[in-house]
Amino acid sequence: MLSVVRKLVTGQFSLAMTYWGWGCGSALVLATAMSRAINQKSELFFWSILCLKLIVPSMVLSGILCKLNRKITILGMLAAVHFITYVLTVGMVIFGVIFAYLFHIWKI
């Protein structure tokens, strides 16, 4: 498993496999897991899924940027812009949830 993560982060997979397989595929799996965590009121599961929603796209973004470092393509640029905005958005949501939870504005 570590070798697969290393290939993903260093951009050794194709752009299609990195974007669709790891990026969009993991987003669907994590969205399903997040809905299950909210329905079951499992706090540990909720926080772990929330962290994975930031870690996995960051690894995908790293792989895309490593691929762009070797060869710049239009599809690669679009994928990079998409994942940069996704990682920033999810990061802001995570910090919002953390602050709301810390200041007792929102209970899980």
Side-chain angles (χ1 to χ4, degrees), residues 35-78:
S35 67
R36 185 177 179 140
I38 291 173
N39 288 339
Q40 290 184 349
K41 307 283 191 225
S42 174
E43 193 170 328
L44 179 65
F45 191 59
F46 175 78
W47 288 110
S48 62
I49 295 298
L50 200 60
C51 290
L52 280 176
K53 283 182 75 76
L54 186 61
I55 293 170
V56 173
S58 298
M59 291 189 314
V60 171
L61 179 62
S62 172
I64 290 172
L65 291 178
C66 284
K67 276 205 109 33
L68 284 176
N69 204 11
R70 285 184 240 133
K71 181 180 178 186
I72 297 176
T73 61
I74 292 176
L75 290 177
M77 292 296 291
L78 290 174

Short mmCIF file of all heavy atoms in Angstrom, two decimals, residues 35-78:
data_model
loop_
_atom_site.label_atom_id
_atom_site.label_comp_id
_atom_site.label_asym_id
_atom_site.label_seq_id
_atom_site.Cartn_x
_atom_site.Cartn_y
_atom_site.Cartn_z
N SER A 35 -21.61 10.64 5.17
CA SER A 35 -23.05 10.59 5.46
C SER A 35 -23.35 9.51 6.49
O SER A 35 -24.20 9.69 7.36
CB SER A 35 -23.84 10.36 4.18
OG SER A 35 -23.59 9.07 3.67
N ARG A 36 -22.64 8.41 6.41
CA ARG A 36 -22.83 7.34 7.40
C ARG A 36 -22.36 7.78 8.78
O ARG A 36 -22.99 7.47 9.79
CB ARG A 36 -22.09 6.09 6.95
CG ARG A 36 -22.32 4.93 7.84
CD ARG A 36 -21.64 3.70 7.34
NE ARG A 36 -21.89 2.64 8.28
CZ ARG A 36 -22.15 1.41 7.95
NH1 ARG A 36 -22.19 1.09 6.68
NH2 ARG A 36 -22.37 0.50 8.85
N ALA A 37 -21.25 8.51 8.84
CA ALA A 37 -20.73 8.97 10.12
C ALA A 37 -21.69 9.96 10.77
O ALA A 37 -21.88 9.95 11.99
CB ALA A 37 -19.36 9.62 9.93
N ILE A 38 -22.30 10.82 9.97
CA ILE A 38 -23.25 11.79 10.52
C ILE A 38 -24.51 11.09 11.02
O ILE A 38 -25.05 11.42 12.07
CB ILE A 38 -23.57 12.87 9.48
CG1 ILE A 38 -22.33 13.74 9.26
CG2 ILE A 38 -24.75 13.72 9.90
CD1 ILE A 38 -22.46 14.73 8.14
N ASN A 39 -24.98 10.09 10.28
CA ASN A 39 -26.19 9.38 10.68
C ASN A 39 -25.98 8.55 11.95
O ASN A 39 -26.90 8.39 12.74
CB ASN A 39 -26.69 8.48 9.56
CG ASN A 39 -27.30 9.28 8.44
OD1 ASN A 39 -27.70 10.41 8.62
ND2 ASN A 39 -27.34 8.70 7.25
N GLN A 40 -24.78 8.00 12.14
CA GLN A 40 -24.52 7.15 13.30
C GLN A 40 -24.06 7.94 14.51
O GLN A 40 -23.89 7.38 15.58
CB GLN A 40 -23.47 6.10 12.96
CG GLN A 40 -23.96 5.05 12.01
CD GLN A 40 -22.92 3.98 11.79
OE1 GLN A 40 -21.77 4.14 12.17
NE2 GLN A 40 -23.32 2.90 11.17
N LYS A 41 -23.82 9.22 14.36
CA LYS A 41 -23.34 10.08 15.45
C LYS A 41 -22.04 9.56 16.05
O LYS A 41 -21.80 9.65 17.23
CB LYS A 41 -24.39 10.20 16.55
CG LYS A 41 -25.75 10.64 16.10
CD LYS A 41 -25.78 12.10 15.83
CE LYS A 41 -27.21 12.55 15.64
NZ LYS A 41 -27.41 13.41 14.55
N SER A 42 -21.17 9.01 15.19
CA SER A 42 -19.88 8.51 15.64
C SER A 42 -18.84 9.62 15.50
O SER A 42 -18.46 9.98 14.39
CB SER A 42 -19.47 7.29 14.82
OG SER A 42 -18.17 6.90 15.14
N GLU A 43 -18.39 10.15 16.62
CA GLU A 43 -17.51 11.31 16.59
C GLU A 43 -16.12 10.99 16.05
O GLU A 43 -15.58 11.72 15.23
CB GLU A 43 -17.39 11.88 18.00
CG GLU A 43 -16.78 13.24 18.03
CD GLU A 43 -16.92 13.87 19.40
OE1 GLU A 43 -17.90 13.60 20.09
OE2 GLU A 43 -16.00 14.62 19.75
N LEU A 44 -15.53 9.87 16.47
CA LEU A 44 -14.19 9.50 16.00
C LEU A 44 -14.21 9.21 14.50
O LEU A 44 -13.32 9.65 13.76
CB LEU A 44 -13.68 8.29 16.77
CG LEU A 44 -12.30 7.79 16.37
CD1 LEU A 44 -11.24 8.84 16.69
CD2 LEU A 44 -11.97 6.50 17.09
N PHE A 45 -15.22 8.50 14.05
CA PHE A 45 -15.34 8.19 12.63
C PHE A 45 -15.53 9.47 11.82
O PHE A 45 -14.95 9.64 10.75
CB PHE A 45 -16.53 7.23 12.43
CG PHE A 45 -16.62 6.63 11.06
CD1 PHE A 45 -15.59 5.86 10.56
CD2 PHE A 45 -17.74 6.83 10.28
CE1 PHE A 45 -15.67 5.30 9.30
CE2 PHE A 45 -17.83 6.28 9.03
CZ PHE A 45 -16.79 5.51 8.54
N PHE A 46 -16.31 10.41 12.36
CA PHE A 46 -16.54 11.69 11.69
C PHE A 46 -15.24 12.45 11.51
O PHE A 46 -14.94 12.94 10.42
CB PHE A 46 -17.54 12.52 12.51
CG PHE A 46 -17.76 13.90 11.98
CD1 PHE A 46 -18.56 14.10 10.88
CD2 PHE A 46 -17.15 14.99 12.57
CE1 PHE A 46 -18.78 15.37 10.38
CE2 PHE A 46 -17.35 16.26 12.08
CZ PHE A 46 -18.17 16.45 10.99
N TRP A 47 -14.44 12.57 12.57
CA TRP A 47 -13.19 13.34 12.49
C TRP A 47 -12.17 12.66 11.58
O TRP A 47 -11.44 13.32 10.85
CB TRP A 47 -12.60 13.57 13.87
CG TRP A 47 -13.39 14.56 14.65
CD1 TRP A 47 -14.16 14.29 15.74
CD2 TRP A 47 -13.53 15.96 14.39
NE1 TRP A 47 -14.77 15.44 16.17
CE2 TRP A 47 -14.41 16.47 15.37
CE3 TRP A 47 -13.03 16.81 13.44
CZ2 TRP A 47 -14.76 17.81 15.42
CZ3 TRP A 47 -13.40 18.15 13.49
CH2 TRP A 47 -14.24 18.63 14.46
N SER A 48 -12.12 11.32 11.60
CA SER A 48 -11.16 10.63 10.73
C SER A 48 -11.54 10.80 9.26
O SER A 48 -10.67 11.02 8.41
CB SER A 48 -11.07 9.16 11.11
OG SER A 48 -12.31 8.52 10.93
N ILE A 49 -12.82 10.71 8.94
CA ILE A 49 -13.26 10.91 7.55
C ILE A 49 -13.01 12.35 7.13
O ILE A 49 -12.57 12.63 6.01
CB ILE A 49 -14.74 10.54 7.39
CG1 ILE A 49 -14.94 9.04 7.62
CG2 ILE A 49 -15.26 10.93 6.02
CD1 ILE A 49 -14.21 8.16 6.64
N LEU A 50 -13.25 13.29 8.04
CA LEU A 50 -13.03 14.70 7.72
C LEU A 50 -11.55 14.96 7.41
O LEU A 50 -11.22 15.69 6.48
CB LEU A 50 -13.50 15.57 8.88
CG LEU A 50 -13.79 17.03 8.57
CD1 LEU A 50 -14.88 17.14 7.52
CD2 LEU A 50 -14.19 17.75 9.82
N CYS A 51 -10.65 14.34 8.17
CA CYS A 51 -9.21 14.50 7.90
C CYS A 51 -8.82 13.82 6.59
O CYS A 51 -8.01 14.36 5.83
CB CYS A 51 -8.40 13.92 9.05
SG CYS A 51 -8.51 14.91 10.54
N LEU A 52 -9.40 12.66 6.31
CA LEU A 52 -9.11 11.99 5.04
C LEU A 52 -9.59 12.79 3.85
O LEU A 52 -9.02 12.72 2.77
CB LEU A 52 -9.72 10.59 5.02
CG LEU A 52 -8.95 9.51 5.76
CD1 LEU A 52 -9.74 8.21 5.74
CD2 LEU A 52 -7.59 9.31 5.17
N LYS A 53 -10.67 13.57 4.03
CA LYS A 53 -11.16 14.41 2.94
C LYS A 53 -10.18 15.51 2.59
O LYS A 53 -10.27 16.12 1.54
CB LYS A 53 -12.52 15.01 3.29
CG LYS A 53 -13.66 14.04 3.16
CD LYS A 53 -14.98 14.69 3.48
CE LYS A 53 -15.45 15.58 2.40
NZ LYS A 53 -16.00 14.94 1.23
N LEU A 54 -9.22 15.78 3.45
CA LEU A 54 -8.18 16.76 3.15
C LEU A 54 -6.88 16.07 2.73
O LEU A 54 -6.19 16.56 1.84
CB LEU A 54 -7.93 17.66 4.36
CG LEU A 54 -6.96 18.81 4.15
CD1 LEU A 54 -7.49 19.76 3.08
CD2 LEU A 54 -6.75 19.56 5.44
N ILE A 55 -6.56 14.94 3.32
CA ILE A 55 -5.29 14.26 3.05
C ILE A 55 -5.26 13.64 1.65
O ILE A 55 -4.31 13.83 0.90
CB ILE A 55 -4.99 13.21 4.13
CG1 ILE A 55 -4.73 13.90 5.46
CG2 ILE A 55 -3.82 12.34 3.73
CD1 ILE A 55 -4.66 12.97 6.63
N VAL A 56 -6.31 12.91 1.29
CA VAL A 56 -6.33 12.22 -0.01
C VAL A 56 -6.29 13.20 -1.19
O VAL A 56 -5.47 13.04 -2.10
CB VAL A 56 -7.53 11.24 -0.11
CG1 VAL A 56 -7.64 10.66 -1.50
CG2 VAL A 56 -7.37 10.12 0.91
N PRO A 57 -7.13 14.25 -1.21
CA PRO A 57 -7.00 15.21 -2.32
C PRO A 57 -5.65 15.94 -2.33
O PRO A 57 -5.17 16.30 -3.40
CB PRO A 57 -8.15 16.20 -2.08
CG PRO A 57 -9.13 15.44 -1.31
CD PRO A 57 -8.34 14.53 -0.44
N SER A 58 -5.04 16.12 -1.18
CA SER A 58 -3.71 16.73 -1.16
C SER A 58 -2.68 15.82 -1.82
O SER A 58 -1.80 16.29 -2.54
CB SER A 58 -3.29 17.04 0.27
OG SER A 58 -4.16 17.96 0.85
N MET A 59 -2.81 14.51 -1.61
CA MET A 59 -1.91 13.57 -2.28
C MET A 59 -2.16 13.56 -3.78
O MET A 59 -1.22 13.51 -4.57
CB MET A 59 -2.10 12.16 -1.70
CG MET A 59 -1.62 12.01 -0.28
SD MET A 59 -1.57 10.33 0.36
CE MET A 59 -3.11 9.64 -0.12
N VAL A 60 -3.43 13.63 -4.18
CA VAL A 60 -3.76 13.69 -5.61
C VAL A 60 -3.21 14.97 -6.23
O VAL A 60 -2.62 14.95 -7.32
CB VAL A 60 -5.30 13.59 -5.81
CG1 VAL A 60 -5.67 13.87 -7.25
CG2 VAL A 60 -5.78 12.22 -5.40
N LEU A 61 -3.35 16.09 -5.52
CA LEU A 61 -2.82 17.35 -6.01
C LEU A 61 -1.30 17.29 -6.15
O LEU A 61 -0.75 17.78 -7.14
CB LEU A 61 -3.22 18.49 -5.06
CG LEU A 61 -2.72 19.88 -5.42
CD1 LEU A 61 -3.29 20.31 -6.76
CD2 LEU A 61 -3.09 20.87 -4.34
N SER A 62 -0.64 16.66 -5.21
CA SER A 62 0.81 16.50 -5.31
C SER A 62 1.20 15.69 -6.55
O SER A 62 2.14 16.05 -7.27
CB SER A 62 1.35 15.81 -4.05
OG SER A 62 2.70 15.48 -4.20
N GLY A 63 0.46 14.61 -6.80
CA GLY A 63 0.74 13.80 -7.99
C GLY A 63 0.51 14.56 -9.28
O GLY A 63 1.30 14.46 -10.23
N ILE A 64 -0.57 15.34 -9.33
CA ILE A 64 -0.86 16.13 -10.53
C ILE A 64 0.22 17.18 -10.75
O ILE A 64 0.68 17.39 -11.88
CB ILE A 64 -2.26 16.75 -10.44
CG1 ILE A 64 -3.32 15.66 -10.56
CG2 ILE A 64 -2.47 17.79 -11.52
CD1 ILE A 64 -4.73 16.13 -10.30
N LEU A 65 0.64 17.85 -9.68
CA LEU A 65 1.67 18.88 -9.83
C LEU A 65 3.02 18.27 -10.21
O LEU A 65 3.78 18.90 -10.97
CB LEU A 65 1.79 19.69 -8.53
CG LEU A 65 0.59 20.58 -8.22
CD1 LEU A 65 0.79 21.30 -6.91
CD2 LEU A 65 0.32 21.56 -9.34
N CYS A 66 3.33 17.07 -9.72
CA CYS A 66 4.57 16.40 -10.15
C CYS A 66 4.50 16.04 -11.63
O CYS A 66 5.49 16.14 -12.35
CB CYS A 66 4.82 15.16 -9.31
SG CYS A 66 5.43 15.50 -7.67
N LYS A 67 3.32 15.62 -12.10
CA LYS A 67 3.16 15.34 -13.53
C LYS A 67 3.32 16.62 -14.35
O LYS A 67 3.91 16.61 -15.42
CB LYS A 67 1.80 14.72 -13.80
CG LYS A 67 1.79 13.24 -13.58
CD LYS A 67 0.72 12.62 -14.38
CE LYS A 67 1.05 11.80 -15.53
NZ LYS A 67 2.17 11.00 -15.63
N LEU A 68 2.76 17.73 -13.85
CA LEU A 68 2.87 19.00 -14.58
C LEU A 68 4.30 19.51 -14.59
O LEU A 68 4.67 20.28 -15.48
CB LEU A 68 1.94 20.04 -13.95
CG LEU A 68 0.46 19.91 -14.27
CD1 LEU A 68 -0.33 20.94 -13.51
CD2 LEU A 68 0.22 20.04 -15.76
N ASN A 69 5.08 19.12 -13.60
CA ASN A 69 6.48 19.52 -13.56
C ASN A 69 7.26 18.90 -14.72
O ASN A 69 8.20 19.49 -15.22
CB ASN A 69 7.09 19.10 -12.22
CG ASN A 69 8.27 19.94 -11.85
OD1 ASN A 69 8.53 20.96 -12.46
ND2 ASN A 69 8.99 19.51 -10.84
N ARG A 70 6.83 17.70 -15.14
CA ARG A 70 7.49 17.03 -16.26
C ARG A 70 6.94 17.47 -17.61
O ARG A 70 7.68 17.68 -18.56
CB ARG A 70 7.33 15.51 -16.11
CG ARG A 70 8.23 14.95 -15.04
CD ARG A 70 8.13 13.46 -14.96
NE ARG A 70 7.67 13.16 -13.60
CZ ARG A 70 6.71 12.34 -13.29
NH1 ARG A 70 6.08 11.67 -14.23
NH2 ARG A 70 6.37 12.14 -12.04
N LYS A 71 5.59 17.55 -17.71
CA LYS A 71 4.97 17.90 -18.98
C LYS A 71 3.69 18.68 -18.70
O LYS A 71 2.79 18.19 -18.05
CB LYS A 71 4.63 16.63 -19.77
CG LYS A 71 4.02 16.90 -21.11
CD LYS A 71 3.69 15.61 -21.84
CE LYS A 71 3.04 15.94 -23.17
NZ LYS A 71 2.58 14.73 -23.83
N ILE A 72 3.62 19.90 -19.22
CA ILE A 72 2.47 20.75 -18.99
C ILE A 72 1.43 20.50 -20.08
O ILE A 72 1.73 20.60 -21.26
CB ILE A 72 2.88 22.24 -18.97
CG1 ILE A 72 3.84 22.49 -17.82
CG2 ILE A 72 1.67 23.14 -18.86
CD1 ILE A 72 4.40 23.89 -17.76
N THR A 73 0.21 20.16 -19.66
CA THR A 73 -0.90 19.97 -20.58
C THR A 73 -2.10 20.78 -20.09
O THR A 73 -2.17 21.17 -18.92
CB THR A 73 -1.31 18.48 -20.67
OG1 THR A 73 -1.73 18.05 -19.37
CG2 THR A 73 -0.17 17.61 -21.16
N ILE A 74 -3.04 21.01 -20.98
CA ILE A 74 -4.23 21.77 -20.61
C ILE A 74 -5.08 20.99 -19.61
O ILE A 74 -5.56 21.55 -18.62
CB ILE A 74 -5.04 22.14 -21.87
CG1 ILE A 74 -4.25 23.14 -22.71
CG2 ILE A 74 -6.40 22.72 -21.50
CD1 ILE A 74 -4.89 23.50 -24.01
N LEU A 75 -5.25 19.68 -19.87
CA LEU A 75 -6.03 18.87 -18.93
C LEU A 75 -5.36 18.79 -17.57
O LEU A 75 -6.03 18.78 -16.54
CB LEU A 75 -6.25 17.47 -19.51
CG LEU A 75 -7.19 17.39 -20.70
CD1 LEU A 75 -7.26 15.96 -21.22
CD2 LEU A 75 -8.57 17.90 -20.34
N GLY A 76 -4.05 18.74 -17.56
CA GLY A 76 -3.32 18.74 -16.30
C GLY A 76 -3.51 20.03 -15.53
O GLY A 76 -3.67 20.03 -14.31
N MET A 77 -3.52 21.14 -16.25
CA MET A 77 -3.74 22.44 -15.60
C MET A 77 -5.15 22.53 -15.04
O MET A 77 -5.35 23.03 -13.92
CB MET A 77 -3.49 23.57 -16.59
CG MET A 77 -2.05 23.72 -17.03
SD MET A 77 -0.96 24.17 -15.68
CE MET A 77 -1.49 25.83 -15.37
N LEU A 78 -6.13 22.06 -15.80
CA LEU A 78 -7.51 22.07 -15.30
C LEU A 78 -7.66 21.19 -14.06
O LEU A 78 -8.34 21.57 -13.10
CB LEU A 78 -8.48 21.61 -16.40
CG LEU A 78 -8.67 22.57 -17.56
CD1 LEU A 78 -9.53 21.92 -18.63
CD2 LEU A 78 -9.30 23.85 -17.08
#
